[in-house]
Amino acid sequence: MTQYTVCRLEDILPETGVCALIDGKQVAIFRTKETKLFALDNYDPFSQANVLSRGLIGGTTITNAAGLSEAVLYVASPIYKQRFNLVTGQCLDDESIILNTYKVDHDGSDVTVKYNFQG
């Protein structure tokens, strides 16, 4: 797994996302008000466009596999509004769709993404 420095923390306004090109693949990186960072594919399979970094961050409660209520953060696609769990990449509106997620962190002001390119 390779680590890439993609931007500075101040380049991502709270409650927004940015897109980074890593090994030819677009990755959407999101920042919450609490400065938590999330990264997943930028490609929206429903609209077939690289637009998720422009989506809106929201929160909802779902019932997990154990039957318990669980709070999740999601990004809603700016095109058709499908919601993707920021932690797992699971589409909340179509269980058959799961996006890749990536480890993202910040060391001081540098935001890094760990990515395993598999061609």
Side-chain angles (χ1 to χ4, degrees), residues 4-5 16 31 53 63 84 111:
Y4 297 87
T5 300
T16 67
R31 176 182 174 184
S53 62
T63 302
F84 298 91
V111 175

Side-chain angles (χ1 to χ4, degrees), residues 2-8 22 29 37 39 102-107 109-115:
T2 306
Q3 180 171 299
Y4 297 87
T5 300
V6 295
C7 65
R8 298 180 58 81
I22 301 174
I29 303 152
L37 297 171
Y102 308 95
K103 294 183 182 205
V104 61
D105 202 358
H106 67 94
D107 180 19
S109 63
D110 289 334
V111 175
T112 58
V113 174
K114 289 185 181 175
Y115 182 81

Side-chain angles (χ1 to χ4, degrees), residues 76-94:
S77 171
I79 306 292
Y80 298 124
K81 310 302 184 237
Q82 280 85 5
R83 300 166 300 156
F84 298 91
N85 184 320
L86 286 172
V87 174
T88 67
Q90 176 70 56
C91 179
L92 301 179
D93 303 298
D94 183 340

Side-chain angles (χ1 to χ4, degrees), residues 16-79:
T16 67
V18 297
C19 181
L21 188 63
I22 301 174
D23 283 336
K25 183 173 181 76
Q26 291 189 28
V27 176
I29 303 152
F30 298 94
R31 176 182 174 184
T32 67
K33 287 184 273 191
E34 298 81 20
T35 312
K36 291 182 182 177
L37 297 171
F38 300 92
L40 62 147
D41 289 338
N42 193 42
Y43 184 75
D44 174 7
F46 296 95
S47 66
Q48 298 181 355
N50 287 299
V51 295
L52 289 182
S53 62
R54 297 180 181 189
L56 297 174
I57 295 174
T60 191
T61 302
I62 63 169
T63 302
N64 63 22
L68 302 172
S69 292
E70 176 183 350
V72 296
L73 287 174
Y74 64 82
V75 60
S77 171
I79 306 292

